[in-house]
Structures are given as structure tokens and as C-alpha cells.
């Protein structure tokens, strides 16, 4: 049996990626939670920005927020 040892690094810095998240629906598909195709929000660093006059369901956000946090930065070698 072989084992792999990872050397921890002292540099714990990372860069956060900015995202544009947009609602996409196939033609004839059904969207729940009041969203419309093309609705979107931007995630810039840790700040979430909605276009003026547009809302976003808290239930939809709760489903996607863990994924955004995981994809917003490269996986650290110590993760």
C-alpha cells in the first residue's frame, strides 16, 4: 500500500472569480419560483448584484449559493 504526502503551503491567498448567473430554460420548459428566461445576477467577489427592478427567489439562491462558493476560486492544495 502506498501513501501520498502533500506538503502544506504557507500561502493561503486566493483569487475570487466574478460570475454572471443567468436563468436558461429549454423552449416550452417550465420555470418555477417566478424566474423568467434571461433573469440574471452578478457575483463580484463576495457581493451579489441584481439588475435594477429584478428580484430572485431566495429558494433558487439557496440551491445555487453552495455551488458558486465552490466554483468561485481554484481549489487550494490544502483543501
Amino acid at each position: 500500500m502506498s501513501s501520498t504526502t502533500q506538503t502544506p503551503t504557507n500561502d493561503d491567498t486566493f483569487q475570487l472569480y466574478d460570475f454572471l448567473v443567468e436563468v436558461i430554460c429549454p423552449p416550452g420548459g417550465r420555470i418555477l419560483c417566478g424566474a423568467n428566461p434571461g433573469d440574471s445576477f452578478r457575483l463580484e467577489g463576495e457581493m451579489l448584484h441584481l439588475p435594477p427592478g429584478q428580484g430572485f427567489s431566495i429558494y433558487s439562491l439557496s440551491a445555487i449559493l453552495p455551488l458558486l462558493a465552490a466554483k468561485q476560486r481554484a481549489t487550494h492544495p490544502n483543501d
Side-chain angles (χ1 to χ4, degrees):
M1 178 188 250
S2 66
S3 65
T4 306
T5 303
Q6 291 184 347
T7 305
T9 63
N10 291 331
D11 182 12
D12 287 335
T13 61
F14 55 88
Q15 177 181 358
L16 292 177
Y17 302 119
D18 294 341
F19 290 131
L20 172 67
V21 178
E22 183 176 352
V23 175
I24 298 174
C25 183
R30 183 174 174 208
I31 299 178
L32 303 175
C33 296
N36 295 304
D39 284 355
S40 64
F41 63 85
R42 291 185 338 262
L43 184 61
E44 296 175 357
E46 63 183 57
M47 300 301 294
L48 186 112
H49 300 273
L50 294 170
Q54 182 187 296
F56 218 90
S57 162
I58 61 170
Y59 304 107
S60 298
L61 284 175
S62 69
I64 195 170
L65 284 177
L67 301 173
L68 293 176
K71 292 295 186 182
Q72 199 176 19
R73 64 181 177 92
T75 304
H76 191 280
N78 293 334
D79 282 346

